[in-house]
Amino acid sequence: LEETFSGIGLALGLSLVVLMIVTGNIIIAFYAVFTIGLIVVDVFAFTVLVGWSLGVLESVNYVVVIGMSIDYTVHMGNAFTSSKADTRNERVVLTFQRIAVSVLSSAVSTLLAIF
C-alpha cells in the first residue's frame, strides 16, 4: 500500500512538472494536477465500491490512470492558455469548440482498446 501511494505521489509530481513546461502557466498546471488527483480518487472509490482488494494489478492501475488522464488535461490546458479570446468564459467556450471532439474521440478509442 505504501508503494502505491509513493508511486501515485511521484506520478502526480512529475505530471505537475510536465504540465508547467507544456502550458507555461503554473495555475493551469495546478488545476490540472488537482483534476488528475480527483480522477485517481474516483478510481479508488470505484475499487472499494466493487469490493476489490488492493493487489498488484490495482496498484499498477492507479499509477497508469494518471498517465492516461494527463493526456487529456494537457490538451485542455494548452488549448485554454493559447486561446486568443478576451474573457475567461470565451476562452473556455473556444477551448471546448476546438478540441472537445478530439478529446472525446481519443477517450472513446482508449476505452475501446481496453476492451
Side-chain angles (χ1 to χ4, degrees):
L1 188 62
E2 185 176 324
E3 291 85 10
T4 300
F5 289 119
S6 64
I8 290 170
L10 178 65
L12 286 174
L14 289 174
S15 298
L16 180 64
V17 171
V18 168
L19 285 164
M20 283 192 287
I21 292 169
V22 169
T23 63
N25 188 325
I26 194 165
I27 296 171
I28 296 293
F30 276 108
Y31 278 135
V33 169
F34 179 71
T35 302
I36 294 168
L38 290 178
I39 292 170
V40 172
V41 168
D42 286 344
V43 173
F44 265 111
F46 177 78
T47 305
V48 170
L49 286 174
V50 297
W52 293 343
S53 61
L54 182 64
V56 174
L57 184 62
E58 290 81 12
S59 297
V60 169
N61 188 34
Y62 296 142
V63 176
V64 168
V65 78
I66 294 171
M68 292 176 66
S69 44
I70 192 171
D71 182 43
Y72 306 117
T73 55
V74 165
H75 287 300
M76 297 297 274
N78 191 30
F80 181 82
T81 55
S82 66
S83 176
K84 302 297 182 203
D86 294 328
T87 67
R88 190 176 355 177
N89 289 339
E90 290 173 356
R91 292 172 87 174
V92 169
V93 170
L94 284 175
T95 297
F96 280 112
Q97 286 175 348
R98 269 197 315 192
I99 67 164
V101 173
S102 338
V103 170
L104 181 62
S105 40
S106 177
V108 168
S109 67
T110 301
L111 288 175
L112 291 175
I114 291 171
F115 298 111

